[in-house]
């Protein structure tokens, strides 16, 4: 028998003990939600409820595996008939058993995003529409929104309806489903075939849903259909951590649940096992400004802890240096391994300067929730050019850029060059040098090798190379239907040039382009761990949800970053989700939280004046201490500084 009384706090114990009826468990950040759910399932099994009668749904395969493993450890036996699953995996199970009722065969294929876009392209051709005239990515997203009920046809989109209808017909013809169908088709099946729904209702008489605030409308509909008869359903979530509306999550499902199950009993888990009292007081104060929420007050027995350190660096370079140097200092002072540190950012565009500072400080890091700056295609292209310029015999790098931008070197030409290299026992570049038609490319590489190794300014040389390559024109051609994407990629290249320029100025003359390239390779290699204790985590706030770190740096806390300018422009009501995002970031910290807000930040080639995030004013002053990178500013002081900077810029423009 599992020991509920001694292993859980009173609210957790109540959640785990009561297994009959409808329950809404509001589980605050760090309140032991997963532990409570696993004890609840174990208690059900102890009571004699069959494994096969329990259905537990969550959002990631990792979470499902962790939950299933914990239950097995608690009860001490294998549980082959227990269903702990993601929503989509559950949908696959239902369709594998019953899709024939909808006219499909049971051996259907599941199309991923790439397959989906290929089929849309094929559909367009079949309708005599040139796929080159379509933005396939946007069209795939539109079809997803239509299919899941997030959008309806309107005057702007109705022209695509014939493609949508034909696309779905072809899916059925090919005996295939897309990712959205894994939820949509089981609902269709349950509504059209009551006998099938009845079978699943009889099978799954006890239903649990984790991260309920992240469910979409159709995911809620699926759960409601299954639980409507037995009424044995427990949903666990936190409306304060609902941050995924952009992918269909609907925190108002909590309100709908209370309407559909008026007999519901509500339990709040408010004791936090993660963070210090100071961090929780800040989080509580911030989120209290939202009006559409279930009131709760997180508390902890772990003591007050350190004050929050709020810093105002001059710019993003100073911000990144402060973060990197503080990590190095704390690691020594407090004997912490790298994985104890998390750096959280609102958008991936903030990563480059931070990555560069970590690289310069020799700190190993891993990027989550987005691609490492140095792993982006356009940056890897430029790095490959630098590698070939400094080492023409690097065949791997040469083959990457031999036709980027396009030079008309096709497969046959490449085979010819490669064969010559094998015959002459030389590198691909050396082989190209033996063929007159590649003279221009060979001369380009050799001329820039001379420039980079002659002591000439490396950033200036790289700027000239990018211009001579016509890389901007190449991006425009590659992204004809998405100029915004082309501009974003070119901006990344300009950022890389700025990073190289700064590195060159801060290092002595003996340091060469070789040193810079080697440093990038060593620091950003793909090892999971290093000998000194893991890696610092650099990630978006969205990717950090569910994680925790001893020390958290929350960077870029400026208005128009968080809250994000575009989100507020789209709908002023989005301020509440932006605040929830800030709340999630704050509650990732266990022991210490550093928040940085730059006075100025580079945008393309200009420096833009920044205002501190309005959310910073919502943290009680007594919880904050002044950081080393500038004193804390009042709103009035920040406004005065902005006006002074503006006057200076205006004078400069004159």
């Amino acid at each position: 028998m599992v020991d509920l009384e001694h292993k859980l706090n009173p609210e957790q114990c109540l959640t785990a003990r009561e297994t009959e009826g409808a329950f809404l468990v509001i589980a605050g950040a760090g309140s032991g939600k997963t532990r409570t759910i696993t004890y609840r399932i174990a208690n059900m099994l102890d009571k004699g409820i069959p494994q096969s009668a329990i259905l537990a749904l969550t959002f990631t395969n990792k979470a499902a595996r962790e939950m299933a493993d914990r239950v097995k450890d608690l009860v001490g036996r294998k549980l082959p008939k227990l269903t702990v699953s993601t929503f989509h995996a559950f949908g696959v199970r239902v369709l594998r058993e019953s899709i024939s009722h909808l006219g499909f065969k049971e051996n259907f294929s599941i199309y991923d995003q790439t397959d989906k876009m290929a089929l849309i392209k094929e559909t367009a051709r079949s309708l005599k529409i040139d796929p080159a005239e379509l933005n396939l990515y946007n069209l795939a997203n539109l079809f997803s929104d239509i299919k899941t009920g997030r959008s309806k046809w309107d005057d702007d989109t109705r022209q695509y309806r014939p493609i949508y209808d034909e696309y779905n017909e072809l899916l059925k013809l090919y005996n295939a489903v897309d990712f959205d169908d894994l939820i949509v088709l089981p609902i269709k099946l349950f509504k059209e075939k009551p006998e099938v729904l009845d079978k699943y209702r009889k099978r799954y008489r006890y239903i649990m849903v984790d991260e309920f605030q992240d469910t979409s409308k159709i995911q809620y509909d699926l759960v409601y259909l299954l639980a409507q008869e037995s009424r044995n359903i427990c949903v666990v979530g936190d409306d304060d951590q609902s941050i995924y509306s952009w992918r269909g999550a609907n925190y108002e499902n909590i309100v709908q649940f209370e309407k559909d199950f008026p007999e519901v009993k509500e339990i709040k888990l408010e004791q936090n096992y993660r963070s210090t009292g100071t961090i929780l007081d800040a989080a509580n104060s911030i989120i209290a400004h939202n009006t559409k929420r279930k009131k709760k007050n997180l508390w902890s027995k772990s003591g007050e802890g350190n004050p929050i350190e709020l810093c105002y660096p001059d710019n993003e370079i100073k911000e990144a240096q402060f973060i990197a140097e503080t990590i190095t200092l704390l690691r020594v002072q407090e004997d912490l391994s790298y994985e104890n540190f998390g750096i959280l950012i609102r958008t991936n565009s903030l990563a480059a300067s931070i990555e560069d500072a970590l690289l310069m400080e020799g700190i190993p890091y891993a990027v989550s929730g987005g691609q490492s700056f140095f792993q982006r295609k356009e940056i890897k292209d430029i790095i490959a050019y630098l590698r070939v310029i400094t080492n023409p015999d690097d065949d791997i790098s040469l083959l990457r850029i031999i036709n980027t931008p396009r030079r008309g070197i096709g497969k046959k030409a490449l085979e010819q060059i490669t064969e010559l290299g094998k015959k002459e026992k030389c590198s691909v570049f050396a082989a190209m040098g033996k063929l007159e038609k590649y003279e221009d490319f060979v001369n380009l590489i050799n001329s820039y090798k001379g420039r980079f190794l002659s002591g000439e300014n490396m950033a200036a040389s790289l700027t000239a190379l990018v211009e001579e390559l016509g890389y901007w024109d190449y991006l425009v051609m590659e992204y004809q239907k998405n100029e915004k994407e082309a501009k974003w990629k070119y901006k990344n290249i300009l950022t890389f040039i700025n990073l190289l320029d700064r590195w060159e100025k801060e290092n002595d003359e003996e340091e060469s382009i070789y040193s810079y390239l080697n440093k990038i390779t060593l620091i950003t290699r793909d090892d999971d761990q290093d000998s000194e204790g893991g890696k610092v985590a650099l990630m978006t706030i969205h990717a950090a949800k569910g994680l925790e770190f001893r020390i958290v740096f929350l960077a870029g806390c400026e208005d128009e970053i968080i809250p994000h300018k575009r989100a507020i422009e789209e709908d002023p009501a989005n301020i509440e989700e932006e605040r929830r995002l800030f709340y999630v970031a704050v509650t990732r910290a266990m022991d210490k939280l550093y928040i940085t807000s730059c006075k100025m930040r580079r945008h393309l080639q200009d420096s833009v004046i920044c205002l501190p995030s309005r959310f910073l004013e919502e943290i009680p002053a007594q919880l904050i201490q002044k950081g080393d990178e500038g004193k804390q500013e009042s709103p009035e002081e920040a406004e005065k500084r902005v006006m002074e900077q503006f006057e200076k810029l205006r004078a400069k423009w004159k």
Side-chain angles (χ1 to χ4, degrees):
M1 294 286 288
V2 292
D3 183 359
L4 303 181
E5 304 292 338
H6 294 93
K7 298 293 184 181
L8 305 174
N9 69 38
E11 292 75 25
Q12 291 174 332
C13 187
L14 179 62
T15 304
R17 189 175 60 239
E18 299 294 326
T19 57
E20 302 289 324
F23 288 86
L24 171 60
V25 181
I26 304 297
S31 62
K33 168 178 61 71
T34 304
R35 177 182 179 82
T36 305
I37 293 171
T38 54
Y39 269 89
R40 189 172 199 271
I41 296 172
N43 184 45
M44 286 181 177
L45 296 170
D46 274 355
K47 285 184 172 183
I49 295 171
Q51 300 173 34
S52 57
I54 301 171
L55 170 63
L57 295 170
T58 187
F59 278 85
T60 67
N61 290 315
K62 180 182 177 183
R65 281 195 305 270
E66 181 184 351
M67 196 181 297
D69 289 343
R70 285 199 192 185
V71 176
K72 289 173 192 173
D73 289 342
L74 276 177
V75 300
R77 65 180 190 272
K78 293 181 179 179
L79 301 168
K81 294 182 180 180
L82 176 68
T83 304
V84 181
S85 166
T86 65
F87 276 90
H88 289 91
F90 177 69
V92 172
R93 176 181 294 214
V94 171
L95 294 178
R96 290 287 181 212
E97 293 176 351
S98 309
I99 200 171
S100 59
H101 290 280
L102 297 175
F104 289 78
K105 297 173 185 174
E106 291 176 359
N107 63 334
F108 61 88
S109 300
I110 302 172
Y111 279 12
D112 62 15
Q113 188 75 353
T114 303
D115 300 326
K116 179 178 180 177
M117 286 166 57
L119 183 57
I120 293 173
K121 186 185 289 188
E122 181 184 332
T123 304
R125 288 198 189 100
S126 73
L127 295 174
K128 304 292 189 283
I129 298 169
D130 183 1
E133 298 299 314
L134 302 172
N135 186 316
L136 294 175
Y137 177 80
N138 287 349
L139 209 52
N141 287 338
L142 171 65
F143 288 3
S144 179
D145 289 345
I146 294 292
K147 186 173 284 191
T148 58
R150 293 202 295 269
S151 294
K152 294 181 179 180
W153 298 110
D154 57 29
D155 292 340
D156 293 330
T157 60
R158 200 166 284 115
Q159 60 181 310
Y160 302 115
R161 185 159 191 169
I163 304 176
Y164 175 79
D165 292 338
E166 180 71 9
Y167 163 78
N168 284 306
E169 286 186 23
L170 285 178
L171 272 177
K172 193 163 187 179
L173 180 66
Y174 297 161
N175 198 42
V177 299
D178 62 25
F179 208 58
D180 297 312
D181 287 325
L182 299 180
I183 308 295
V184 171
L185 290 183
I187 292 173
K188 178 180 172 68
L189 181 66
F190 290 164
K191 288 182 175 179
E192 293 182 0
K193 302 292 179 181
E195 69 278 13
V196 175
L197 175 58
D198 187 58
K199 178 180 78 172
Y200 285 99
R201 281 178 173 173
K202 283 185 167 64
R203 181 187 301 179
Y204 298 114
R205 302 192 307 279
Y206 295 86
I207 298 172
M208 295 192 65
V209 183
D210 189 17
E211 303 288 5
F212 186 64
Q213 77 282 345
D214 292 337
T215 53
S216 65
K217 183 182 182 303
I218 61 168
Q219 287 168 332
Y220 177 80
D221 290 344
L222 179 66
V223 170
Y224 174 68
L225 283 167
L226 288 169
Q228 191 177 13
E229 192 172 275
S230 73
R231 320 292 287 183
N232 290 327
I233 177 168
C234 177
V235 301
V236 184
D238 181 7
D239 52 340
D240 289 338
Q241 296 187 73
S242 180
I243 58 174
Y244 296 118
S245 64
W246 47 275
R247 69 182 191 196
N250 185 2
Y251 76 96
E252 291 183 356
N253 282 343
I254 291 176
V255 176
Q256 189 61 46
F257 181 76
E258 291 175 309
K259 290 178 181 176
D260 290 335
F261 296 89
E263 74 276 23
V264 66
K265 298 174 185 175
E266 183 180 298
I267 302 171
K268 288 183 181 178
L269 306 184
E270 296 174 293
Q271 184 175 352
N272 177 281
Y273 294 91
R274 174 188 298 152
S275 306
T276 63
T278 294
I279 291 167
L280 295 181
D281 288 346
N284 287 329
S285 179
I286 292 161
I287 204 63
H289 288 77
N290 275 4
T291 56
K292 298 177 181 178
R293 63 183 291 262
K294 292 273 189 182
K295 289 186 178 179
K296 67 186 76 67
N297 193 63
L298 297 180
W299 60 278
S300 171
K301 291 182 178 178
S302 63
E304 185 178 309
N306 298 301
I308 293 167
E309 192 157 320
L310 179 55
C311 305
Y312 292 89
D314 291 336
N315 52 45
E316 74 278 7
I317 302 298
K318 296 284 188 181
E319 174 184 58
Q321 289 173 338
F322 166 73
I323 291 170
E325 289 167 5
T326 304
I327 289 172
T328 298
L329 181 66
L330 290 176
R331 189 166 170 268
V332 174
Q333 284 182 344
E334 302 189 19
D335 192 27
L336 296 172
S337 54
Y338 285 121
E339 67 261 26
N340 286 291
F341 297 90
I343 306 169
L344 309 187
I345 51 179
R346 173 63 178 86
T347 65
N348 283 313
S349 62
L350 301 178
S353 56
I354 296 173
E355 286 195 60
D356 188 60
L358 296 174
L359 187 152
M360 295 305 139
E361 193 72 19
I363 297 171
Y365 67 93
V367 178
S368 304
Q371 202 173 29
S372 166
F373 178 77
F374 297 103
Q375 294 299 316
R376 292 171 187 170
K377 180 188 180 302
E378 61 277 12
I379 302 303
K380 291 189 78 168
D381 286 347
I382 300 305
I383 290 173
Y385 268 103
L386 292 175
R387 292 197 190 289
V388 172
I389 286 165
T390 55
N391 175 21
D393 295 330
D394 180 351
D395 283 359
I396 300 297
S397 295
L398 178 64
L399 292 173
R400 179 182 180 92
I401 50 91
I402 197 170
N403 210 30
T404 304
R406 303 190 189 286
R407 299 186 176 87
I409 302 176
K411 185 178 178 183
K412 288 187 177 178
L414 196 53
E415 287 174 353
Q416 179 192 19
I417 299 167
T418 306
E419 284 302 315
L420 180 61
K422 289 179 181 176
K423 181 180 176 182
E424 300 285 336
K425 294 183 179 179
C426 64
S427 67
V428 172
F429 183 80
M432 292 178 79
K434 298 176 186 293
L435 300 169
E436 189 176 336
K437 58 182 173 179
Y438 303 117
E439 183 179 3
D440 288 347
F441 178 77
V442 171
N443 287 341
L444 174 81
I445 298 300
N446 285 332
S447 68
Y448 276 93
K449 182 170 186 175
R451 290 181 67 165
F452 273 98
L453 301 184
S454 67
E456 190 176 325
N457 180 276
M458 290 188 281
S461 297
L462 182 54
T463 301
L465 173 64
V466 170
E467 289 175 357
E468 189 167 343
L469 290 172
Y471 202 91
W472 165 246
D473 296 331
Y474 162 71
L475 289 173
V476 170
M477 288 298 296
E478 288 292 299
Y479 300 93
Q480 292 181 41
K481 299 295 178 182
N482 194 348
E483 187 180 347
K484 187 177 178 182
E485 181 80 359
K487 286 180 177 177
W488 184 76
K489 288 179 175 291
Y490 198 70
K491 176 192 166 190
N492 288 336
I493 291 172
L494 297 179
T495 298
F496 181 77
I497 293 171
N498 287 329
L499 295 179
L500 176 61
D501 184 47
R502 186 169 69 88
W503 179 84
E504 188 175 11
K505 288 173 180 174
E506 291 180 0
N507 285 277
D508 58 47
E509 294 179 3
E510 293 181 8
E511 295 283 7
S512 65
I513 190 66
Y514 297 109
S515 306
Y516 189 63
L517 293 173
N518 289 340
K519 205 164 188 66
I520 291 173
T521 304
L522 291 172
I523 299 299
T524 62
R525 67 194 188 279
D526 292 328
D527 298 346
D528 289 333
Q529 298 286 317
D530 83 337
S531 58
E532 296 182 83
K535 294 184 177 183
V536 169
L538 171 60
M539 60 179 62
T540 62
I541 303 171
H542 283 99
K545 186 169 170 290
L547 303 178
E548 60 187 30
F549 303 95
R550 290 275 301 278
I551 315 289
V552 165
F553 295 87
L554 182 48
C557 287
E558 297 129 37
D559 251 25
E560 300 195 351
I561 293 179
I562 185 164
H564 199 276
K565 179 182 179 182
R566 188 172 65 247
I568 304 304
E569 285 177 347
E570 287 175 357
D571 184 355
N574 285 337
I575 187 68
E576 294 223 345
E577 179 151 341
E578 289 293 301
R579 186 178 282 110
R580 291 195 293 269
L581 195 59
F582 191 71
Y583 170 84
V584 165
V586 168
T587 54
R588 297 312 94 196
M590 299 168 70
D591 297 340
K592 180 75 176 172
L593 174 63
Y594 293 86
I595 299 177
T596 54
S597 175
C598 290
K599 296 176 182 176
M600 300 191 75
R601 188 174 290 276
R602 182 180 288 273
H603 180 71
L604 296 177
Q605 295 296 80
D606 298 320
S607 288
V608 179
I609 299 164
C610 303
L611 277 173
S613 169
R614 66 195 75 174
F615 297 147
L616 297 179
E617 296 176 27
E618 299 172 359
I619 302 175
Q622 68 270 22
L623 303 179
I624 294 171
Q625 79 171 13
K626 180 178 69 175
D628 294 334
E629 287 296 310
K631 67 181 181 66
Q632 181 184 347
E633 294 179 305
S634 68
E636 293 77 18
E637 289 171 327
E639 191 68 33
K640 182 181 177 183
R641 172 176 55 79
V642 168
M643 294 308 298
E644 288 173 352
Q645 292 284 359
F646 180 74
E647 290 301 326
K648 287 180 184 177
L649 288 171
R650 189 163 66 175
K652 179 181 176 183
W653 293 333
K654 286 180 180 178

